[in-house]
Structures are given as structure tokens and as C-alpha cells.
Amino acid sequence: MGFFILLFFLSNSEEIFIYSGDRIFFNVDSSFVLIYGNAKTNQGKLSLSADSILYDLNKKKLTAKGEVVFNDGSSEIKAKEMSYDVDREIGDAYQAKTEVENGWFFGKRIRYFKEGSLKIKDGYYTTCELDPPHYWFYSPRMRINIDESLVAEPVILLVQDIPVFFVPFYFQSIKKERASGLLRPEFGTSFYGGNYIKKIGWYQTLGPHADLIFYSNYYTKKGISFHIDEFRWNLLPYSIGDFSGSYIKERESGKERWLIRGNTKGEMWGIRLNADTRLESDRDYTKDYEPGEVEKILEKEINYSLSWNGEILGARTDFVLDHRENLTTEEIYKRWPSVNLTFPTFKIGFVNFRSFYKFVRDETNHWASGFSGRTNLNFNLYIFNLNMGISGESDYYERENITINHWESSMAIKTNIYGVSFFGIPPISKFRHIVTPSVSFSYAPYPKEVEVSPIAEFSLPYGQRSFILSLSNLFQCKIRDKRYDFASINFSTNYRQKEKEFSPISINGSFWIGDFLKQDYSTSYDIKGKEFGSKRVNTYLEFRSNVEGNPFDLYLRHSIDFTKESRIQQADLGVGFNPTPNWILRVNAHYDFERNKITNTSVDLNRDLHCWRILMSVNKFGEDWDYRLSFELKGIPEVKITRETLGGLMP
């Protein structure tokens, strides 16, 4: 049977303690309260439970033994024994354990202070829930400010009782929200720079919507590099983006090398802004200072654009300022500006009319403007669908000071013819064949010859008189109550009146079985020469399954082109599976049949070690190859041993 008692003690303020337990002994002379069995006591947010609790009324000191659990409302300590000074609000827990974030701290003694901080003697931290854990960080002296920071000196990493890493001092912010603070340095070796210490710097919050990292890297061979990294802001809908940059003047050569990249996008008052920039001093900068990528390319690009969409007097308006510049090839694409107006559509019965206006100023700083309109008539005549249209355009080119007027008309008619089988092949109950023949005619008068420099989005009159004939075939099957497409083949050609002949017949088709297999075919047939043109076959195979509960997936992409002179054949193969529940293997390869060799390969192997993970990869691109190795904590991804860390031991 359980008992409880309320005790009131008046000193400077009134305190209320609630005790409960299987047995409670109260000695008035000695001022002791002794609670046995399921002993519990509460004072405000503080609670304490144990096998037994002894309370000294004079010293105002609690002593708990057995399975002790202490909770202050924000943290919990479990221990074999604990003493707590009520006045000073300080407690000492022995053989204690407390959980912080997604890990646990253990210590021979954990001292608790009322402001929510802990001092741990001979303690260790781990994210492994096993007892004993696979690994832990040991330190004779630790201090934890709950939801603030962790300080320890020194720190030794032990794996299966074997010490593998040592640092004389360690600091870490454990705030749940973002907080400014020192970065954790990284030590290792690189092939190009030699031994290094990376990320000697600071993380700075810039209010609730922005932050910044700036730091330096020291390389024994090359000197000091300076970095602004992950300058990020999120001010949506107005702006979101990031910027980073790095610079080094190499000690040996005096060569200045750098990298700048950034992007931003946002919207204000209906105006959308996009900008993207990447500038690199030389082709090898990323390879030398940011290893891990096999395919190294030089990127020097500046891209930015501003756009606005809205309505002006009922017309949809698209206004764009766009600048794209490749500093390597010196190619520039610019629309400064581009304006498009789409006027409301007028519709009377099955006749509709649409009109447009456009203006473009391009990278040559010359411009053109034009009005265009199109009328369409679309209706069904028995089993046929008929579409007729006529369009006209008037364009003015500023550089040549000339106006060009042109028009064209078109007419198309098509229908669908259905055929259904009287039989099936189990599990197929029926087959259906849909034939869609169509005939179209287009006419545009041949223009007088004019010399006008082309401007994007404007088309010069070309003149045409052609008939286009096409025949589409779709094959379907019915399984139970569902209909599936499984094949198609399409033919099209046009009669060119100027040449007085039909163009080669374009032939393309597909065959597929669900999401598992698909093949695409394409070729052409020259009626006059009575021969087929180039042929192309693409095959896509994807397969996903489980082997004894472990996922397995496979994909194959194969292409082959037949021309009169050669046959070009290539294939991509990817396989991913779990050899065991803890191993994940993925292999990708590109095979060039012309060179009769595998040109690109990548092998990724991951091993789950409960609280650790091994990541290994080998990549080959042409004659270049590279590999990665990482041994990292799943609960603390920042703690890892990489190839660079072991640079002195590994090639």
C-alpha cells in the first residue's frame, strides 16, 4: 500500500514537497524523513524517484539510492545514487547517465546545477544504444550547458575499447536553434596541398533568415586559403539564395587562384529575379582544392535574369531581361529586353482569333518588333475532325529599317478507326488496334529575297506548299478489366511542291511491357531511292525486386545507330543490391562498342556498422580515376575519417 505526505517548510519563502512511497518514516527529533519502495518526491518542476529516499530537514538535503531518476523538466539523470541540496539546488549523481540530443552521457559523477548545467567526471558520450556501446568519446572533465554548449578536455575516441583518436580540447554548440560559434577544424592530407588544417573560422547567424561561414585553410605546401562559404539567406518570397568564394596565393609559385559561385531568385511586386554565377580562375582549381570529382571542367559563367508577368489592358504581358555569358567561349545570349503581349482570344462558335505582339533587343543591341494574328476553325464532320487556320505577321527590323509581311494557311483532317479482336491469348482477353490517318495542307507564298540578320523569336518568311500525310497505329490489350498500351508505329511524309516529290517517309515506333522493358525504333525510307536511311534502336530495361528480403534493382540502356558508313553502339548498365542486410553495392558502367571497352565506371559500396557507416567509391572517367573513402558516425556525420585524413597512409 502506498502512502504520501505534504510537508511545509517556511524559511525565506514557502516550499511545498510531496512525498510518496510504500513506507514512510518521519522522525521529529532527528528531523529525518525516510521513504522505502517506489520512493518519489516533487517540488515544482523537480522530481526524484528511487528505491529509497532520505531527507534531512535541517540540512535540506535529499539522498536517493537504487534506481534513481532525477528530472528538472528539461533534462533527466539516471543514477545508482544521488544527493541533492535543496537550498543550493545542486545535485551529485553517481554512476549516472543522461540523454542529450540523440546521444547519451555517462559519468562516475555528474554534478547538476540549478541553471541547467552539468559537470561530468570521468565521463563518456556515445550515440550507440547498446550496452556496452561500440564506441564512445571519453573525457575526464566535461561541462554541459543544456541546450547551449559542450566543453571537454581532453577527449579520446575509443572503438571497442581501443583508443583511435585524441584531441586536447573539444567544444561543440548543442543549441537546438542556430547559434554563432567556432567551427570544428578538420585535419588531414591532400595530394596537392600536403598536410592541412581546414575550417579555422566562425559560423555567424545574421538574424532568423540568414547566416554566414568564413574560415581559412592552412596547407603545408601551398599556404593559406581564405573562404566565405554558405552565405545563405531566405527572405521568400522576396529573395532566396547563397554565395561562396575562396582565394589562395600559393606560396611556391605566387599564383593567385580563386573560385566564386552564387545564385539567387525571388519575386517582388510580381517581378521575378534569377541570377546564377560561377567563376573559376583555372581548370584545375576544383581538382586541386575540392577533390572527389572525376570529370573536371572549367566553368566561367555569368547568368542573370529578371522577369515580370501580368496584365496590361487585358493583355497578358511577359517582360524579360536575360543575360547569359560564357566567359570561356565568349558566347553571349542576351534579351535586353524581351516583351510579349498576348491579347484576349475572340471566339464565335467554332471560330477563334488570337493576336500577339513581341519586341526583342538581342546581344547585338539591335531590335525587332512585330504583330501577328491567327484564326482557327475547328469542328467535327461525321467521323472526321477538321481544322483550318490562317495566320499573318508583320515584323519590323530596326538595323535594316525594313518591314516584312508574311502569312500562311493550313488545313488538316483526321479520324480514328478502331479494330477489336475476337480472341485473346491468356492472360490477354482482347486486343485493340487504333489507326489514326491524317492529311494536312499548308501554304505560304514564297517571299522576295531580303537580307535581314536573324533575331531570336522572329522567323523569316520561307514559303511553302506541302501536303503532309501521316498514319499512326496504337496497339492495346485488355487484361482483366484494365487496358494497356504495348506498341505503336507511326509513318509520316510530305509532298514538297517546289521539288515535286515526297520527302523520305519517317518511321518510328515503340514496344513496351509495363515499366519493365521499352524499345524505341526510328528510321526513314526514301521513296525515290527505294532505300532506308539511318536506323536507331534504343532499349530501356529496368528491374526491381527483392532477394531474400534484400532490395535488388537493375537498369540497362542500350542504343545502336546504323548508317551507311558505320554502326555506333553504346550501353549503360547499373546494378544495385544488398549482398547482406548491412552491405549496399551499386555498380554503374558505360560501354563503348566502337572502342570495345568500358569507358566510364563507378562502384559504390556502403557498409552499415550499426552506429558507424563505411562509404567507399571508385570512379573512372576516360583515363582519369579517383576514389573516396569515409568512415563516419551515423549519429554525428561531422565525425568521420576520410581518405584525406589518412593521406599519409593511403595513395
Side-chain angles (χ1 to χ4, degrees), residues 104-118:
W104 295 269
F105 281 97
F106 298 81
K108 286 186 176 180
R109 187 186 76 179
I110 296 181
R111 169 160 282 193
Y112 168 85
F113 297 88
K114 65 179 180 179
E115 64 270 18
S117 62
L118 304 173

Side-chain angles (χ1 to χ4, degrees), residues 247-257:
Y247 169 85
I248 184 171
K249 185 174 183 179
E250 295 183 345
R251 181 189 299 121
E252 297 174 349
S253 64
K255 187 178 181 180
E256 297 184 56
R257 306 180 68 185

Side-chain angles (χ1 to χ4, degrees), residues 562-607:
F562 299 92
T563 66
K564 290 182 179 180
E565 296 79 17
S566 64
R567 182 181 67 179
I568 302 173
Q569 187 176 187
Q570 300 185 56
D572 292 283
L573 174 67
V575 180
F577 65 97
N578 293 38
T580 70
N582 294 323
W583 281 101
I584 301 175
L585 174 66
R586 172 157 289 281
V587 180
N588 298 281
H590 178 82
Y591 189 82
D592 190 326
F593 288 84
E594 184 178 2
R595 300 167 64 184
N596 197 27
K597 63 184 296 187
I598 297 175
T599 55
N600 309 331
T601 56
S602 68
V603 180
D604 297 289
L605 186 62
N606 299 342
R607 176 67 162 98

Side-chain angles (χ1 to χ4, degrees), residues 200-232:
I200 308 169
W202 185 265
Y203 168 75
Q204 179 65 47
T205 61
L206 302 172
H209 304 294
D211 50 25
L212 167 68
I213 297 175
F214 54 92
Y215 61 89
S216 295
N217 296 340
Y218 172 73
Y219 299 89
T220 54
K221 290 182 180 179
K222 301 299 178 181
I224 300 175
S225 63
F226 302 93
H227 300 255
I228 294 177
D229 198 12
E230 295 185 17
F231 175 31
R232 303 172 299 182

